[in-house]
Amino acid sequence: MIRNVRHCETSNIGLQRQNNEDSFLVVDQLCSRRDVQKYGMLFVIADGLGGHAAGEIASKMACEETVAGYYAEDLIVADNLDDVELKIQKLEKTIWSVHNKIIEYAGQQEKLCGMGTTLSALVLTADKAIMAHVGDSRIYRLRNNSCEMMTVDHTKSQVMIDGFQIRPGQEIPRYYGRILTQALGGYDDLFAVFTRVENVQSGDVFLLCTDGLHDLVTDNEIREILIENPLPHTACDKLVQAAISNGGHDDVTVIVIQL
């Protein structure tokens, strides 16, 4: 198990929202209710969507069900998996289960119809970072002063970039905005869960954030804030302050983890 991991989490409603639809959960080395030694630490962030309180419910449900499902001993996975493959399959199966549970729950109440959420999850072990992701929340890694986005946005604008219809950084047509192509729940629009595995190094910094940050703060600004603020709680504060200073039109949630 990784030792001396420091982390901080901050969520802010921003300047224009009436309720915060973001959620997060952390299972670290101090948590005695989960088998962290066997399955690693887990950091989860979600940004809900839907009318009324639906988004708030969806994001909270996604975080809670992901944690419960990932650490459950009764989840059926394939035999003869190595340790990393086991964790990937548990995480992916859990997220598919969460997707179905949100759809089922929303179907029981008309006002929750179509509710959904993004989800980004990071598992940390002694030597690996295992990521699973749906939507447009993000995971970044800062290593040797280089900041890399580790996830891929599930948005129509990203589809246009992938299809060479627009270039990265080019202005995106207004009518596309940040329309999601995948979400948990919603209208059953989940095709695949993005997964990624990376080796970890001492000094790595991971950032999980909702689009309330990266819509308003550039990747370069994020990098500078992480470099200039090596303490996780200071980095969290500075990132949220930057989003609010740049308009704060959305709720913003960040998790900063330092190895």
Side-chain angles (χ1 to χ4, degrees), residues 146-179:
S146 176
C147 192
E148 179 182 357
M149 191 171 87
M150 310 299 285
T151 50
V152 176
D153 290 344
H154 295 141
T155 59
K156 285 201 172 183
S157 56
Q158 186 61 49
V159 170
M160 294 178 70
I161 292 172
D162 293 341
F164 302 103
Q165 295 170 273
I166 58 174
R167 298 184 301 275
Q170 182 180 345
E171 184 175 354
I172 298 167
R174 182 176 299 177
Y175 53 85
Y176 275 105
R178 297 199 61 83
I179 300 172

Side-chain angles (χ1 to χ4, degrees), residues 50-195:
H52 305 289
E56 185 177 347
I57 294 170
S59 66
K60 182 179 180 181
M61 186 174 175
C63 289
E64 291 176 348
E65 293 289 346
T66 297
V67 168
Y70 177 70
Y71 289 102
E73 293 288 353
D74 59 350
L75 184 65
I76 299 174
V77 295
D79 295 330
N80 303 319
L81 296 175
D82 66 29
D83 186 59
V84 174
E85 290 173 335
L86 171 69
K87 292 180 174 66
I88 294 172
Q89 192 168 119
K90 277 182 68 70
L91 197 54
E92 189 170 358
K93 281 180 172 291
T94 294
I95 291 173
W96 273 104
S97 176
V98 172
H99 172 65
N100 292 328
K101 286 180 179 180
I102 292 174
I103 291 175
E104 181 180 0
Y105 186 81
Q108 298 171 3
Q109 301 184 54
E110 185 176 351
K111 67 179 182 180
L112 300 180
C113 182
M115 79 173 187
T117 182
T118 70
L119 182 78
S120 294
L122 170 67
V123 171
L124 287 177
T125 69
D127 59 349
K128 299 292 183 183
I130 301 166
M131 290 156 272
H133 162 80
V134 175
D136 66 347
S137 295
R138 292 180 179 178
I139 301 176
Y140 291 87
R141 183 190 65 192
L142 179 72
R143 174 180 288 176
N144 299 325
N145 291 341
S146 176
C147 192
E148 179 182 357
M149 191 171 87
M150 310 299 285
T151 50
V152 176
D153 290 344
H154 295 141
T155 59
K156 285 201 172 183
S157 56
Q158 186 61 49
V159 170
M160 294 178 70
I161 292 172
D162 293 341
F164 302 103
Q165 295 170 273
I166 58 174
R167 298 184 301 275
Q170 182 180 345
E171 184 175 354
I172 298 167
R174 182 176 299 177
Y175 53 85
Y176 275 105
R178 297 199 61 83
I179 300 172
L180 293 178
T181 56
Q182 288 208 122
L184 298 186
Y187 293 96
D188 203 23
D189 50 351
L190 181 61
F191 310 108
V193 176
F194 172 93
T195 58

Side-chain angles (χ1 to χ4, degrees), residues 219-238:
D219 285 1
N220 189 56
E221 289 171 327
I222 289 172
R223 169 184 172 274
E224 291 177 355
I225 290 172
L226 292 176
I227 291 172
E228 293 172 1
N229 298 275
L231 297 178
H233 73 274
T234 306
C236 278
D237 290 344
K238 294 293 185 181

